[in-house]
Amino acid sequence: MRDQHSTERRVRVLIVGGSLSGLSAAMFLAARGVECLVVEQRPGTSVHPRARLVTARSMELFRSAGIEEQVRKAGDPGPIGFVVVNTLADPHYVPTGNHVDETLEISPTGMRLCDQQQLEPLVLARAQELGAEVRFGTSFESLTQDAGGVTARLSSVGSDERWTVHCDYLLAADGIRSPVREALGIGRHGPGALGRSVSAIFDADLEPVIKGRRAMAVIVKAAGAFLFARGSSEARRWQLGFPMFEGMDSSPEGLRERTRELVRVAADSPDLDLTVHSAMAWESAALVADRFRAGRVFLVGDSAHAMPPAGGFGGNTGVQDGHNLAWKLAAVLNGTAGEELLDTYDAERRPVADFTVEETMARIGQSSAESRATVQLGYCYPSLWASVPGKDARDTVDGEAAIAENPLQPSGRPGTRAPHAVLEHEGRSISTLDLFGDDFVLLADARAEMWRTAVPGLTVRHIVGPDRNTSGQGPGCTDVHGTFLSAYGIGPRGAVLVRPDGFIGWRTTDDSATARERLGAAVLALAGRAAPGGGPR
């Protein structure tokens, strides 16, 4: 790459947009050794809390990138639920929904509360540490692409400087209005715009009315607003969210004054002293792009899917987009996978976005919705299940695979997230999820030695049963609670193939020569190197 002040640049992957989704994509790409450049028109990371909930799946991905503990320290353990009050002075807070993090039963991380302005700097620092370059104060102007790559024209905010980046692939993580998506002419579908709201940050001493009670969010009926705790109890910083109405003064000072009025109503304290630091209007929408790929350009995060904040799934879905795409781009760029692998990004992530938007809307309408654990850890890739050749007999049933399953009762089918099981390795406790990330991994019982050389070059991990003295079990990771075989549904002779993103690609209960041949065909197909039906390209 040329000097950063040059007007011509060359990079493998350009990411337009440096918010949570774009920075996460850069971190996951850099972790795989992919040269990438992030450009963002803002002067720095977010100064507003925006997203707060980090789902269990996102925490698992941050764990794989090496920042789980930093996120834990920067965040808040909870509580995770909402409460409803008339005013904050009410003697009783009425909880709504489930305040228990049930993902702790099936994930090594569980959920975490961490405001976006605290989370983004952690992701930025890790991305840069791994080799990603991030340039703030830079706007996207236009792009052209051909079979050889993408050329993007950029400008520096506040100056006349213009420069050009040539890249193999471009990721559009540039928000709900996405200039890149608009330039590509990609439409969107879904319920559409849902209204405008205000998010305000203020300092006030609310302890006299809250009296030590805590919640992730408080619905204050008298004020028609949501109150969120931000920062530490010592900082006494809060966020108020409320809808904008026709005729409301939308000037910065008008929004601040409205915030002061509503906070005093919420606290039932007309003379409450408070300082409003910022009040920002924003538009809520529920929309999904009609396609997530246009040639060598991919949509990630809010550019691909906009969803209201109910459930806290929006930013997390963007993090997971970047992770799904990063390993595929890395494999194609290093020559271990075929270009066709990149088609699976749209096929896998767009149905998940549709599903997540539907679940978010169900929560707004207080209609039937899947459990929080299912939306976080139970979403599936039906297209993966349908496309893998050589499936086991029980995985070739008629009909279509579901878009989600109950992760508390994992099926182990292709297209589902590989279940968490507690393992012991070299004297320390790990998760099965810690075995994934670098490449495809084949898991098998330690007694199933025949899988060790089934496919040359394939990483094989043998899991030892909980009885360390069982005859025939060799060295490997010990299945502490004896749940591995049942969770993956493979039996002592079978094996399960897991992709680098931790999703199951293939499995069998059979250790015959035919099963090993089917494994070879599955490995080729999952790397975009096999035609439908399993024949090599």
Side-chain angles (χ1 to χ4, degrees):
M1 184 183 293
R2 291 190 180 185
D3 180 80
Q4 67 173 359
H5 298 295
S6 172
T7 57
E8 292 277 337
R9 302 287 297 279
R10 180 73 177 86
V11 68
R12 301 308 298 269
V13 177
L14 172 66
I15 302 172
V16 178
S19 190
L20 180 59
S21 297
L23 292 174
S24 296
M27 178 177 66
F28 297 135
L29 283 166
R32 296 180 180 281
V34 177
E35 178 194 35
C36 57
L37 167 66
V38 181
V39 294
E40 165 59 47
Q41 64 180 355
R42 298 174 304 168
T45 55
S46 178
V47 296
H48 209 268
R50 302 175 69 186
R52 179 161 174 76
L53 177 68
V54 184
T55 65
R57 180 58 182 163
S58 292
M59 283 296 291
E60 291 174 355
L61 302 186
F62 291 146
R63 176 188 180 97
S64 73
I67 61 169
E68 178 193 3
E69 288 309 310
Q70 291 96 310
V71 176
R72 289 191 180 282
K73 290 177 181 178
D76 187 336
I80 61 174
F82 281 53
V83 296
V84 179
V85 298
N86 187 50
T87 72
L88 298 175
D90 285 2
H92 302 292
Y93 283 9
V94 180
T96 65
N98 183 5
H99 285 222
V100 176
D101 182 5
E102 58 187 351
T103 66
L104 289 171
E105 301 177 31
I106 51 174
S107 169
T109 65
M111 299 185 291
R112 193 71 173 178
L113 302 178
C114 186
D115 295 339
Q116 191 163 331
Q117 90 277 11
Q118 296 172 303
L119 180 58
E120 281 187 10
L122 301 177
V123 180
L124 169 63
R126 183 57 172 159
Q128 292 175 320
E129 179 184 0
L130 292 168
E133 181 183 353
V134 181
R135 178 165 173 163
F136 290 103
T138 304
S139 295
F140 166 82
E141 297 291 339
S142 64
L143 68 82
T144 57
Q145 63 172 315
D146 55 31
V150 183
T151 298
R153 291 167 182 82
L154 311 170
S155 63
S156 295
V157 176
S159 78
D160 295 330
E161 182 184 8
R162 299 288 186 274
W163 50 298
T164 301
V165 172
H166 304 283
C167 57
D168 294 304
Y169 299 98
L170 185 148
L171 274 57
D174 51 344
I176 187 172
R177 294 182 177 84
S178 183
V180 175
R181 187 192 63 240
E182 292 298 318
L184 295 169
I186 298 176
R188 293 186 290 177
H189 60 272
L194 303 176
R196 290 175 61 78
S197 299
V198 177
S199 176
I201 301 298
F202 68 95
D203 286 347
D205 183 6
L206 299 179
E207 183 56 31
V209 289
I210 291 178
K211 298 178 180 178
R213 295 171 291 191
R214 300 185 68 216
M216 183 176 76
V218 181
I219 303 171
V220 188
K221 294 190 291 184
F226 290 81
L227 180 74
F228 301 88
R230 302 292 185 179
S232 66
S233 57
E234 291 78 15
R236 298 184 300 184
R237 181 153 293 186
W238 307 88
Q239 179 187 13
L240 192 75
F242 57 91
M244 284 192 70
F245 297 109
E246 190 77 24
M248 183 182 294
D249 184 353
S250 60
S251 68
E253 183 50 40
L255 296 180
R256 287 189 177 92
E257 182 55 35
R258 182 60 175 163
T259 299
R260 296 183 192 99
E261 294 171 2
L262 292 180
V263 170
R264 288 166 178 151
V265 170
D268 194 19
S269 177
D271 300 321
L272 179 69
D273 182 34
L274 71 152
T275 300
V276 180
H277 296 283
S278 68
M280 177 183 72
W282 60 281
E283 184 174 34
S284 178
L287 291 163
V288 177
D290 295 335
R291 51 196 172 109
F292 284 14
R293 181 186 186 185
R296 290 176 169 266
V297 181
F298 300 86
L299 305 185
V300 173
D302 286 352
S303 68
H305 41 72
M307 58 190 76
F313 303 129
N316 290 283
T317 307
V319 170
Q320 293 152 37
D321 290 340
H323 189 262
N324 179 281
L325 185 56
W327 76 268
K328 296 173 182 178
L329 283 171
V332 171
L333 287 169
N334 67 27
T336 60
E339 175 77 20
E340 291 81 1
L341 178 62
L342 299 180
D343 291 332
T344 65
Y345 173 68
D346 176 88
E348 292 176 1
R349 294 303 300 171
R350 185 155 48 89
V352 168
D354 284 324
F355 164 73
T356 309
V357 167
E358 290 173 5
E359 287 300 311
T360 302
M361 294 301 294
R363 282 162 169 76
I364 291 176
Q366 298 182 341
S367 59
S368 177
E370 296 285 354
S371 72
R372 188 163 47 204
T374 296
V375 181
Q376 293 183 57
L377 299 174
Y379 64 80
C380 309
Y381 297 141
S383 61
L384 171 58
W385 169 82
S387 63
V388 174
K391 288 192 286 286
D392 208 44
R394 67 207 157 126
D395 293 329
T396 56
V397 296
D398 294 334
E400 297 181 355
I403 188 63
E405 69 174 22
N406 180 0
L408 297 172
Q409 299 174 335
S411 68
R413 292 183 69 181
T416 64
R417 165 185 164 273
H420 159 65
V422 178
L423 306 177
E424 184 178 295
H425 180 61
E426 297 181 346
R428 63 189 183 94
S429 178
I430 66 171
S431 167
T432 44
L433 276 60
D434 296 323
L435 303 178
F436 315 136
D438 294 333
D439 207 339
F440 289 91
V441 175
L442 189 73
L443 301 181
D445 187 274
R447 292 164 290 186
E449 284 289 328
M450 69 292 297
W451 292 109
R452 193 175 296 278
T453 56
V455 175
L458 179 63
T459 299
V460 180
R461 296 279 193 173
H462 280 94
I463 310 300
V464 180
D467 182 355
R468 297 172 186 264
N469 298 317
T470 298
S471 175
Q473 292 185 351
C477 299
T478 300
D479 179 14
V480 175
H481 301 302
T483 60
F484 165 66
L485 293 179
S486 59
Y488 286 82
I490 59 172
R493 298 170 57 195
V496 57
L497 182 66
V498 183
R499 302 192 313 184
D501 62 347
F503 273 75
I504 295 172
W506 177 90
R507 68 173 178 176
T508 185
T509 58
D510 183 11
D511 63 356
S512 65
T514 300
R516 292 195 287 274
E517 290 176 2
R518 290 191 286 113
L519 169 62
V523 171
L524 287 173
L526 291 167
R529 294 191 178 279
R537 294 189 184 278

